[in-house]
Amino acid sequence: MNERTLTQVIPAVPASDGAGVKLRRSLGASQMLRHDPFLMLDEFFSDNPDDYLAGFPAHPHRGFETVTYMLDGHMQHQDHLGNTGDLGPGDVQWMTAARGIIHSEMPQQREGRMRGFQLWINLPARLKMQPADYRDIAATAIPERTLAGGRVRVIAGHWHDASGTLDGPVQRDGTEPTMLDLQLDAGASADVSLPAGHNAFVYAYEGQAEIGGESVPNRAAGLLGPGDILRVHAGDSGVRMLVLAARPLDEPVVQYGPFVMNTREEIEQALRDYRDGTLAA
Ligand code: FE2
């Protein structure tokens, strides 16, 4: 067994997106701060409606997948394919923009806490121009396992331990992502098996943890080195963290806002298609 260690910490910095939603961005805060195939991780977390009410009115995507994971609050998704989804606490939306999707993501609450994540995962060149695909996964459809001093929810990929394997509802070709929500009480530890050769990182959104003797600060992406096992020790107040891993693509990335392709020509094509109304046709 080869233990993964912490190689880089990317603090989440305040950012604003959509029509002015305040959020914290770690991966993707600059185009240098990616972890192939992960492009971006945003956390939105506020008790103040002024921070989120404006939402994300209709906007396009091409060339990658967006994953929205709600912890608190309600958000409604609508897209040009006619999909409508109401996302509540614990629900996940897995959207494969691929060739193109135009959608809006609007808060369905006037007050109270809104908290969750949006993750962008790149697609391999061969899948970038496939038809768009969209899936809502209800909280009840996400398997959970009780651990010694904690629990884990398996959103994508697999969890392995002595009690057997737990499969998440999302299994994707290409990048084969793993997405776990891991909660550990103060002082508890967990061994997380992650595919060797996949790029991995963690994001502690409550409390703190230690990996290989290094501390993973709260609200930061902690990039991990190679290995097949991740050993997490929760800090004094316990920890809640996302654990993510996926197969790197090793392909050129050219990004222009919500379009992520392999070449400049493909970006120019995406802009033309969006202008001509054929992006998502
Ligand atoms: Fe979006």
Side-chain angles (χ1 to χ4, degrees), residues 167-249:
D167 298 326
V170 178
Q171 304 292 333
R172 299 292 299 159
D173 191 19
T175 55
E176 298 169 39
T178 303
M179 181 171 180
L180 309 169
D181 184 358
L182 178 66
Q183 178 173 350
L184 293 172
D185 300 336
S189 300
D191 280 356
V192 184
S193 161
L194 295 172
H198 282 200
N199 278 345
F201 74 101
V202 297
Y203 185 93
Y205 61 92
E206 281 182 22
Q208 289 166 319
E210 202 180 87
I211 292 171
E214 302 270 345
S215 126
V216 182
N218 183 244
R219 297 223 150 84
L223 309 195
L224 303 173
D228 53 7
I229 199 91
L230 166 66
R231 200 152 277 166
V232 182
H233 304 281
D236 293 342
S237 54
V239 71
R240 292 187 71 183
M241 71 199 308
L242 299 182
V243 179
L244 293 140
R247 181 187 294 284
L249 296 173

Side-chain angles (χ1 to χ4, degrees), residues 63-65 96-98 121-125 127-128 172 175 249 251:
F64 59 101
E65 303 192 274
T96 307
I121 310 175
N122 206 358
L123 282 170
L127 299 178
K128 280 184 183 290
R172 299 292 299 159
T175 55
L249 296 173
E251 291 177 359

Side-chain angles (χ1 to χ4, degrees), residues 79-133:
D79 66 39
H80 78 287
L81 298 169
N83 296 308
T84 303
D86 188 20
L87 284 180
D91 295 343
V92 170
Q93 180 201 88
W94 200 286
M95 190 180 83
T96 307
R99 180 190 161 77
I101 202 155
I102 297 168
H103 76 153
S104 61
E105 299 150 294
M106 300 301 290
Q108 297 301 296
Q109 63 192 59
R110 309 301 300 173
E111 56 184 11
R113 175 168 293 184
M114 172 76 83
R115 181 163 73 140
F117 299 94
Q118 186 163 98
L119 173 73
W120 288 11
I121 310 175
N122 206 358
L123 282 170
R126 67 184 169 84
L127 299 178
K128 280 184 183 290
M129 291 301 277
Q130 295 291 304
D133 186 47

Side-chain angles (χ1 to χ4, degrees), residues 5 37 43 45-46 49 72 85 116 141-142 156 187 208 245 250:
T5 57
E43 179 188 12
F45 172 33
S46 181
D72 297 294
I142 297 172
Q208 289 166 319
D250 289 319

